[in-house]
Amino acid sequence: MKTDILLKMRSGGEISLKEQIFLIIKLSIPTILAQVSSIVMSFIDASMVGRLGPADSASIGLVASSTWLIMGLCFAAAMGFTVQVAHLIGGNKEKEARNLEKTAFLATTTFSVIIMLAGIIVSGWLPQFLGKIDPSSEIYENARVYFLVFCLSVPIIQLNNLATELLQAAGEMKVPSLMQLLMTVLNIALNYLFIFILGIGVFGAALATLISRGITTLALLFVLLVSSPILKLAKRNDEHFDFDKKHIYTALRISAPIAFEQTIMTGGQIAFTKIVAPLGKIAIAANSFAITAESICYMPAFGLGAAATTICGQSFGAKRHELTYRLGWLTTVIGIFLMLIMSALLFIFAPELIGFLSPDTDIRRIGARILRIESFSEMFYGSSLVVNGALRGTGDTLVPSLFNFFSMWFVRLPLALALSPHFGLEGAWFAMSFELCVRGILFLIRLKGKKWVKR
């Protein structure tokens, strides 16, 4: 039925409200489940490392924002091409979509190798830069090794992102979700093996993630290139690769603002980590664990955002602008409703979430308090994620990146700098919560206007 509705949308047929809701839910559920598995993986990672002690937890937390930056850049590089593929599929130009797919693999793989080499070069001094950590300390060495292993996996991360987003652009959400679940299971098993049986600690956690991600990436590529009805390249000998510069230019126009957004947001996270670092290793660990725990709250918004990108991208490619606008709003309303529920659950179960991640009494006490502060802003943060997904579907990426830049660097960080010396980690997280409310309001204002569907 999902495929039938997408075909009807691309061919110009009328889609009822019931069908629109069904399509949104059908496309978002697999991605939400994928987010659940990803969060479980993060929980297990953090919990296993947390059992080793606060120093090991702090070493991963110290470089976490830097790994997010690199993953964000890989995401942006893939998105520049996958949005175009969604438009071509929506316009029933499947042959052109497959040709663009080849260009995407060539361009993004080259990009990821450059990022990998740059990461390897800076891995030696990054922990000291982020936290002013003594190079002879255990935290420094563990953080350096963890980041180095992560950098070696960057090309794998890029291929994983590209394959996932291409499948989603074609309306295939189930396979990427199953692969995410497989990666979670593999990661848990390998974490246990490397951390507790072989006793290689933080290095084992990084190695487990690299191996599990590599296996699932190979599976994703097989499904995309061999099995996908629209995007498979196997047995299409009549189609020859035609490199078109305009696709590169369009990809840059779409992905450059996203890359800017990811850079300034993750740069903001790095700056936030530097604000938190002087508060001590307990604060660093509590901050890292709370971010991991908080992620369970906005998993519905991530799933709905991915669904919004696919739906709005294909309907925009079919030149159905009014339908694109309605679908963007409908997805956002559903997201707000779900986020209200998740916010309440986060507030109620904050102590249990932190308690699962760390046995340390001080970490659990501080972590629960900052999670409850954050719970009041989750509805706004979730709405910004969903709206951003809808805007990306039409290629509207510049204005959202400016919104994120303003809210992070002119609201969150100045407020955190002002509050953390007086109120500690709680003050820094109040600044974060307030900024997320501002961000959500800005995105809702952008959604209300129709410029994003009249590009």
Side-chain angles (χ1 to χ4, degrees):
M1 185 175 176
K2 175 196 73 177
T3 304
D4 293 340
I5 297 173
L6 285 172
L7 287 172
K8 187 190 295 186
M9 181 176 69
R10 295 199 292 263
S11 62
E14 283 299 318
I15 304 177
S16 66
L17 178 61
K18 180 179 178 181
E19 289 177 321
Q20 293 175 36
I21 295 174
F22 174 85
L23 183 62
I24 291 169
I25 294 175
K26 193 71 175 178
L27 289 174
S28 61
I29 284 178
T31 309
I32 291 173
L33 293 177
Q35 286 297 317
V36 172
S37 65
S38 178
I39 290 164
V40 169
M41 184 176 71
S42 299
F43 263 65
I44 297 298
D45 268 355
S47 179
M48 288 182 174
V49 175
R51 295 303 185 268
L52 299 175
D56 297 279
S57 302
S59 65
I60 294 179
L62 190 64
V63 297
S65 52
S66 301
T67 62
W68 297 340
L69 171 60
I70 293 175
M71 288 192 290
L73 293 176
C74 291
F75 169 78
M79 186 62 70
F81 293 97
T82 55
V83 168
Q84 295 183 77
V85 170
H87 292 173
L88 290 171
I89 293 173
N92 292 314
K93 299 177 181 178
E94 296 181 3
K95 182 177 179 180
E96 290 90 335
R98 288 188 290 271
N99 185 70
L100 179 56
E101 178 184 6
K102 299 171 186 176
T103 303
F105 273 106
L106 176 63
T108 58
T109 301
T110 303
F111 173 77
S112 66
V113 171
I114 295 172
I115 295 296
M116 177 189 71
L117 295 174
I120 292 172
I121 291 171
V122 304
S123 62
W125 60 267
L126 184 66
Q128 188 176 17
F129 169 76
L130 292 174
K132 297 180 180 179
I133 305 298
D134 184 354
S136 62
S137 68
E138 182 183 3
I139 292 179
Y140 177 91
E141 182 60 21
N142 282 338
R144 183 191 68 81
V145 170
Y146 186 87
F147 186 73
L148 177 62
V149 175
F150 170 83
C151 289
L152 294 173
S153 71
V154 169
I156 298 174
I157 293 171
Q158 182 68 80
L159 289 171
N160 190 295
N161 276 343
L162 183 61
T164 297
E165 291 175 28
L166 284 171
L167 286 169
Q168 291 175 345
E172 176 54 73
M173 315 295 274
K174 186 181 297 183
V175 170
S177 303
L178 291 174
M179 291 302 104
Q180 185 68 49
L181 177 61
L182 173 63
M183 187 170 76
T184 300
V185 174
L186 288 172
N187 194 62
I188 292 172
L190 292 173
N191 261 331
Y192 185 80
L193 172 64
F194 293 149
I195 295 176
F196 297 111
I197 296 180
L198 298 181
I200 51 178
V202 171
F203 172 69
L207 189 61
T209 303
L210 187 154
I211 295 173
S212 57
R213 182 176 277 127
I215 293 172
T216 52
T217 299
L218 289 175
L220 278 168
L221 290 172
F222 177 83
V223 173
L224 173 68
L225 301 177
V226 178
S227 303
S228 173
I230 297 176
L231 294 175
K232 67 180 179 182
L233 300 181
K235 298 181 180 179
R236 296 188 188 272
N237 297 326
D238 57 319
E239 296 182 10
H240 303 288
F241 179 46
D242 180 20
F243 182 80
D244 191 341
K245 289 184 179 179
K246 74 176 184 180
H247 291 310
I248 299 293
Y249 296 147
T250 304
L252 288 172
R253 180 181 60 79
I254 294 171
S255 62
I258 299 176
F260 171 72
E261 173 188 321
Q262 296 293 329
T263 301
I264 56 99
M265 294 304 292
T266 313
Q269 292 287 356
I270 293 172
F272 191 80
T273 301
K274 288 178 71 67
I275 293 173
V276 170
L279 300 176
K281 67 180 182 180
I282 295 297
I284 295 174
N287 180 68
S288 177
F289 284 136
I291 290 173
T292 300
E294 181 215 6
S295 61
I296 197 171
C297 186
Y298 51 75
M299 60 185 178
F302 267 117
L304 287 164
T309 300
T310 299
I311 298 169
C312 293
Q314 290 200 17
S315 62
F316 184 79
K319 303 187 185 303
R320 304 191 63 180
H321 296 170
E322 191 60 38
L323 176 62
T324 303
Y325 182 77
R326 292 202 307 271
L327 287 169
W329 264 111
L330 183 59
T331 311
T332 303
V333 170
I334 294 173
I336 290 174
F337 174 75
L338 292 177
M339 289 302 297
L340 284 171
I341 298 174
M342 298 303 294
S343 298
L345 293 175
L346 181 65
F347 185 89
I348 294 170
F349 295 107
E352 287 75 15
L353 290 172
I354 293 293
F356 177 80
L357 294 172
S358 175
D360 188 280
T361 304
D362 290 332
I363 292 176
R364 295 171 71 172
R365 175 178 53 82
I366 298 173
R369 288 215 300 251
I370 60 179
L371 276 182
R372 283 178 166 161
I373 293 172
E374 186 78 358
S375 66
F376 290 98
S377 64
E378 291 300 318
M379 183 195 77
F380 292 97
Y381 181 44
S383 64
S384 72
L385 293 174
V386 180
V387 174
N388 208 2
L391 301 181
R392 283 174 180 163
T394 66
D396 182 23
T397 56
L398 177 59
V399 173
S401 69
L402 295 176
F403 285 164
N404 284 321
F405 172 64
F406 168 78
S407 65
M408 172 63 79
W409 287 91
F410 292 92
V411 179
R412 180 189 299 193
L413 295 179
L415 197 56
L417 275 171
L419 295 179
S420 60
H422 304 287
F423 301 100
L425 191 60
E426 290 92 335
W429 274 64
F430 175 83
M432 183 194 301
S433 183
F434 180 78
E435 178 267 322
L436 292 177
C437 294
V438 172
R439 191 192 310 181
I441 293 170
L442 290 174
F443 272 92
L444 289 171
I445 292 172
R446 179 65 175 177
L447 182 69
K448 187 175 184 298
K450 291 189 175 184
K451 290 183 178 180
W452 62 282
V453 293
K454 294 180 178 178
R455 298 174 56 78

